[in-house]
Amino acid sequence: QRAEARSSPGPTESYSNPQGINSLAEAHMKANLRKLARRLRILHFFQDSCDPDSANGVAKTVFYLTRELAAIGNEILLVEICNGPRVLVPGVRVERVPTPRNPFALTSLVYRLIAEFAPDLVHMHSVFTPRNFTLAVHLRRRGIPYCVTPNGGFSLGVLKSGTPPKRMLKYV
């Protein structure tokens, strides 16, 4: 009889839980879901225009990603470093920043937008863009988490294109 009591419950039975372990696990799960359910403030950093009609696949990705993240309730700020007309993304605040001459430079406007928006996360798009490096250093110093989506930047075709930084990164 004791062996039967220790065996696994059948499909319609459940373990008794006198210590409340399941309710504790459920409480933790509910608390984590509440954290996940809160609106995130996400700043997307892109060095082009996110025109969905463009042939540029990265531009399309940024447009649709930011639009959908806003549609599910996140607060999105898209900072575009480029010259030219701004493309409006439904539900997204889009800030166009003129392109500085120095490829590593960020304007004071970018720093001000980051400080005012106070993002939970910064999402940089593409690799081999010197401004992403400058921005990453700035964010690390302030403890702001960030991620980088390479968007095909590490494909063998791109890495074989011949520029020294790309050749070096092939071995990283």
Side-chain angles (χ1 to χ4, degrees):
Q1 288 180 349
R2 285 190 172 194
E4 289 177 19
R6 291 183 188 163
S7 67
S8 307
T12 58
E13 301 173 295
S14 63
Y15 290 107
S16 63
N17 187 12
Q19 292 84 21
I21 294 172
N22 286 341
S23 59
L24 181 61
E26 286 177 20
H28 282 293
M29 185 172 68
K30 287 178 182 175
N32 287 334
L33 287 174
R34 277 194 296 278
K35 287 179 190 175
L36 291 173
R38 79 173 178 86
R39 258 174 78 153
L40 290 176
R41 298 170 61 86
I42 306 170
L43 186 148
H44 286 263
F45 185 76
F46 183 48
Q47 297 184 65
D48 199 352
S49 173
C50 68
D51 184 357
D53 298 325
S54 164
N56 182 338
V58 179
K60 289 176 187 274
T61 299
V62 172
F63 177 88
Y64 291 112
L65 177 62
T66 56
R67 183 186 74 178
E68 296 306 312
L69 285 170
I72 62 172
N74 296 297
E75 189 173 350
I76 306 297
L77 169 61
L78 172 59
V79 177
E80 297 179 328
I81 307 292
C82 66
N83 301 316
R86 180 172 51 172
V87 174
L88 298 178
V89 182
V92 176
R93 176 180 160 199
V94 180
E95 294 288 342
R96 176 61 59 92
V97 178
T99 307
R101 294 186 78 146
N102 179 342
F104 286 91
L106 294 172
T107 65
S108 60
L109 177 57
V110 172
Y111 296 119
R112 192 171 73 239
L113 288 168
I114 293 167
E116 289 171 2
F117 187 67
D120 295 311
L121 174 71
V122 174
H123 186 167
M124 294 179 265
H125 294 272
S126 299
V127 290
F128 308 120
T129 51
R131 285 186 190 91
N132 282 358
F133 174 77
T134 304
L135 180 59
V137 170
H138 175 78
L139 296 171
R140 280 191 77 136
R141 288 181 179 157
R142 281 152 188 78
I144 300 171
Y146 65 89
C147 64
V148 180
T149 301
N151 294 309
F154 288 131
S155 69
L156 288 178
V158 172
L159 292 174
K160 289 180 180 178
S161 67
T163 61
K166 292 178 185 177
R167 283 198 306 266
M168 289 186 311
L169 282 169
K170 180 171 56 174
Y171 301 103
V172 175

